[in-house]
Amino acid sequence: MTETQTKTKGPEFRAAEGAMNGLREDLFRQALAYRPLPPLNPEGRLIRRLPGGLRKGVVWAPHALVLFAAFVVMMIGFAEWEFRFLMGLVPAIAVAMTLVRPVAAFWASMLATVFCGVLSGELWAPSAFAAQVVVMVVVAARTRPRTAAWMWLLTLLFGMLLEGGDPTVTAPLATLSAFVLLVVAVVQIRRDAEREVTVQRTVTAVERDRRTLLEERTTIARELHDVVAHHMSVVAIQAEAAPYRVENPPPELEQAFVTIRENAVAALTELRRVLGVVRAEDYEAPDAPQPTLAVLDGLLDNVREAGLETEKVITGAVRELPQGVELSAYRIVQEALSNSLRHAPGASARVELGYVLGGLGLRVVNGPPTGLVKPSQGAGHGITGMRERVAMLNGEMTAGTTADGGYEIAVFLPVPLSEEPETRDATGSEVTGRDTTGGPPDTDADGNADTVVIERDGRA
């Protein structure tokens, strides 16, 4: 048949052709397919609640149920007066075949019906009647609703053909099997729909997490641009002004500063070009510099005004850290306090900053929600952003509930000593974040332990 003829087919013809193809696929091409019935999932909603020993046996319950049905069919056949052994055994074999070859079991049941009909003189002997119903139910449960419809239709045509077109003999079987198969099809369709919904929810959650991660990375890229661009601009300006601070500088020194400035400007250009890939069209660069831990008190004041009682605790010698570390620490505290406002209304929060020799320790913990305000059921995307920032700095982070029902976020951001920015004291000498007194890292010049600063509600 040519392609032109195929296109000119009517919708009724195409529907009939698809139905016949489905019949051939379901009941003829797959007639001898070996499909053993698998055991139940031991992690199912009901089975997992059973004891371990009982759970191992319950997973084989469908197999036991099918074999019990075969035994019942065999007992029905044994109740016959003539040929009782064959009348019971042959239909029972067709029922048992559904465990390994379900489609072949349907055809075997049809042959068993003819066999029992020849021996008993009636088309639907009791054992053949029961076997046909059981086989269609098991096969329908193991395949799909379309196969169940084809089996029911073929059974009806088979009965009418053997009875010379009289449907009254097959009517009881057709009525009973139609009702049972309808119930099986509804259960199967509902189960498939629930499985599809579960899959879609999983895919949606994965896509949402991925989108959140990309958005957080974009935000980090923008913030790092503002931080790095500031420093590179300072390098370019200082490199340009440095030769004028020295009287009669040698040409080699002037050329070195020119090269430094050119490289700084080139780095700025490349940084802006790369950032253009991730920056949204409606993004506007902030006018104010990126926040650091020096302005953390302003953030705490804001959340106090929003109703969250906060407490800040600082241990160790406070010092300036790399701007990327300070920015990430500020954002982590900001997101943690926002989560506390959303998920623990009426609770109090505690922010702990620990300045140690190898970096910065950060801990934000809040109590359980109190009061009448219902907590917001968020998706936990703030935690994803925090982990992304911590991973960017090769840090460590833990997050989880506390014993009293609150929530705790603990972070450590490492800072190598070589990366700590240099500052100057009142005498003009260079001072870094390291202890230069010769004492232990966590002691001051007198050998005393570093002070602990605690602020409650903005009062030191």
Side-chain angles (χ1 to χ4, degrees), residues 1-14 17:
M1 186 175 293
T2 63
E3 183 179 356
T4 304
Q5 292 175 330
T6 303
K7 292 182 179 180
T8 58
K9 293 179 181 179
E12 297 83 3
F13 185 83
R14 288 196 297 268
E17 185 180 22

Side-chain angles (χ1 to χ4, degrees), residues 2-3 37 45 56 66 77 82 124 133 143 159 161 236-237 243 287 293 372 375 457:
T2 63
E3 183 179 356
L37 180 64
R45 184 166 49 186
K56 294 180 180 179
V66 171
E82 297 180 354
W124 297 108
V133 173
T143 54
L161 179 64
I237 294 173
D287 297 332
L293 294 177
L372 301 178
D457 298 332

Side-chain angles (χ1 to χ4, degrees), residues 293-357:
L293 294 177
V295 296
L296 185 61
D297 291 338
L299 173 63
L300 299 182
D301 291 338
N302 289 336
V303 296
R304 290 182 186 120
E305 293 177 359
L308 179 65
E309 182 182 351
T310 58
E311 172 186 352
K312 185 179 74 172
V313 177
I314 301 178
T315 59
V318 179
R319 63 186 185 277
E320 183 183 358
L321 298 175
Q323 194 166 359
V325 175
E326 297 238 357
L327 173 60
S328 295
Y330 180 91
R331 294 303 189 197
I332 290 172
V333 174
Q334 184 181 42
E335 185 61 37
L337 294 178
S338 298
N339 288 343
S340 299
L341 283 170
R342 288 194 298 267
H343 305 299
S348 59
R350 178 184 176 95
V351 179
E352 299 179 4
L353 300 176
Y355 290 85
V356 296
L357 183 61

Side-chain angles (χ1 to χ4, degrees), residues 132-196:
Q132 187 70 16
V133 173
V134 172
V135 167
M136 285 196 294
V137 169
V138 176
V139 176
R142 295 201 57 196
T143 54
R144 49 186 173 178
R146 187 180 71 178
T147 305
W150 280 121
M151 288 190 302
W152 183 86
L153 184 59
L154 289 178
T155 302
L156 180 61
L157 295 177
F158 170 76
M160 294 176 60
L161 179 64
L162 293 184
E163 289 295 329
D166 184 10
T168 57
V169 178
T170 311
L173 174 65
T175 303
L176 177 61
S177 60
F179 176 76
V180 177
L181 291 179
L182 180 61
V183 174
V184 173
V186 170
V187 172
Q188 195 172 28
I189 292 173
R190 178 182 175 85
R191 182 180 58 192
D192 293 341
E194 290 179 350
R195 186 183 301 113
E196 182 67 20

Side-chain angles (χ1 to χ4, degrees), residues 423-431:
T423 59
R424 295 183 180 274
D425 58 13
T427 63
S429 59
E430 293 183 354
V431 179

